[in-house]
Amino acid sequence: MSASAVAAPSFSLFELGGVSRVYGEEVEVWALRQVALDIRAGDFMAIIGPSGSGKSTLLGLLGCLDLPSAGSIKVAGREVTDLDDAERSKIRGDAIGFVFQQFHLIPHLTALGNVSTALLYRNLSKSDRREIAMNALELVGLAERHDHRPVQLSGGEQQRVAIARAIVTDPKMVLADEPTGALDTKNASMVLEIFEQLRSDSRAIVVVTHDLQIAERMDRVVSMRDGEIIADEHRHERSSALADRFWEAGRGTTLE
C-alpha cells in the first residue's frame, strides 16, 4: 500500500471523562451519569436517544455552554472546567460552530451580514470579513443570495446560512442540534449533504438528532438513555439497522 493510501491518524479534539450533571438541590435530578466520550478529528457523528436521555445536557457541555457537576472536559487537551466564563467564551468562538433547529438568524441583516457576525471579534478588516463570509456562503451554495434577508429565504436556505455562519471561523467541531427538525425531506437531505461535504480530517461534525434516518448516514452513532451512553458504534460495527434495533427495544422508529 502506498503512503498516500494510508489515512492520516485522527487526534482527540474533545474529551469527556467521568462527566456527571446534576440539577436541583432538595431533589436531585441526574441528567448525566459518569459519561466518557472522546470526539476525534474526522468524526462524522450522531448523538441519539429518547427525550430525557441527556442529549441536550451533553450538547451544552460539549459546546462549553455549561459545566459538569463532576468530571473532566478537555478541548484540544485543555481542561475547560478550570476556565472562567471569558476563557470558555473564547473557546466557543475559536473551536466550536453551532447550528440550531430554529436558525437564529438576525432578521434585519442579509445572509452575508449574518455570517459576518461570527467574525466581528476577530482582528480582521471589513473587506477581509466580507471575503471570508462570502467563501462560507459559496460552500453552502448561497453566494448569489448573499444580499437577501432571512424573510426572503426559504427555510432550507436559512439553515444553510446558519451552517455558513457556523463554519466561517473554521471551527474544530460543528455541533448541530436537530438541524433538520424544521425542514422538509428535500431540504433535510440537502443539509446532510452539506455536512458530508464539510467533513475533513481536522474537523469533527456532531449532529444531535431524533431522526434515525439521519443517524444511519453518519459514520459514528452514540446512543443515550437515562443520562448514560449505552452504545458508541462506528458504521462497520453496527450489527443491524438502527431503526430495527429501536423497534426491537419497543421504542418505535423515532426517538421523540
Side-chain angles (χ1 to χ4, degrees):
M1 180 180 295
S2 67
S4 61
V6 179
S10 64
F11 52 91
S12 182
L13 295 177
F14 291 76
E15 298 174 82
L16 277 65
V19 167
S20 297
R21 186 66 174 95
V22 184
Y23 296 102
E25 296 180 1
E26 294 184 4
V27 178
E28 291 186 344
V29 177
W30 287 74
L32 292 178
R33 295 176 180 270
Q34 292 290 308
V35 168
L37 183 65
D38 184 12
I39 299 177
R40 306 186 69 80
D43 272 347
F44 190 58
M45 183 172 112
I47 299 175
I48 64 173
S51 296
S53 61
K55 300 190 307 298
S56 295
T57 300
L58 180 59
L59 179 80
L61 295 176
L62 287 174
C64 297
L65 298 169
D66 192 14
L67 290 173
S69 303
S72 169
I73 300 177
K74 293 180 180 179
V75 178
R78 188 179 186 189
E79 180 60 56
V80 172
T81 58
D82 295 337
L83 305 180
D84 60 26
D85 289 344
E87 291 173 312
R88 290 201 311 276
S89 179
K90 187 175 188 308
I91 285 180
R92 284 196 300 273
D94 291 342
I96 305 168
F98 294 93
V99 181
F100 301 101
Q101 180 176 345
Q102 298 301 329
F103 319 142
H104 297 307
L105 300 180
I106 301 172
H108 67 273
L109 294 181
T110 64
L112 179 62
N114 270 280
V115 175
S116 297
T117 58
L119 299 170
L120 287 176
Y121 298 102
R122 300 284 176 101
N123 186 24
L124 296 168
S125 67
K126 184 176 180 179
S127 61
D128 284 344
R129 290 199 304 270
R130 177 185 173 85
E131 180 180 357
I132 296 170
M134 282 295 291
N135 287 339
L137 285 170
E138 181 71 38
L139 284 173
V140 300
L142 284 178
E144 77 283 357
R145 295 178 70 78
H146 70 277
D147 58 348
H148 287 59
R149 290 179 171 77
V151 71
Q152 298 171 302
L153 301 171
S154 69
E157 288 172 334
Q158 289 184 61
Q159 189 60 294
R160 285 152 63 191
V161 172
I163 293 171
R165 181 182 57 192
I167 64 171
V168 73
T169 57
D170 193 24
K172 293 181 174 67
M173 177 169 72
V174 175
L175 191 59
D177 184 16
E178 298 288 357
T180 62
L183 304 178
D184 59 28
T185 301
K186 179 181 178 181
N187 280 300
S189 180
M190 185 178 297
V191 165
L192 263 293
E193 288 172 4
I194 290 172
F195 282 137
E196 288 170 346
Q197 293 166 8
L198 292 173
R199 61 193 305 180
S200 74
D201 291 338
S202 59
R203 176 188 294 136
I205 294 178
V206 180
V207 177
V208 176
T209 183
H210 282 94
D211 191 330
L212 292 174
Q213 291 183 331
I214 291 174
E216 288 280 12
R217 291 176 62 168
M218 312 301 280
D219 290 342
R220 181 182 176 191
V221 178
V222 170
S223 303
M224 298 190 68
R225 188 191 305 160
D226 299 330
E228 299 179 339
I229 292 176
I230 60 172
D232 184 354
E233 300 172 300
H234 289 79
R235 186 184 298 275
H236 67 276
E237 299 170 333
R238 298 176 201 164
S239 58
S240 61
L242 293 172
D244 291 342
R245 280 187 281 147
F246 273 88
W247 270 116
E248 292 167 3
R251 294 194 297 277
T253 55
T254 68
L255 302 176
E256 297 178 337

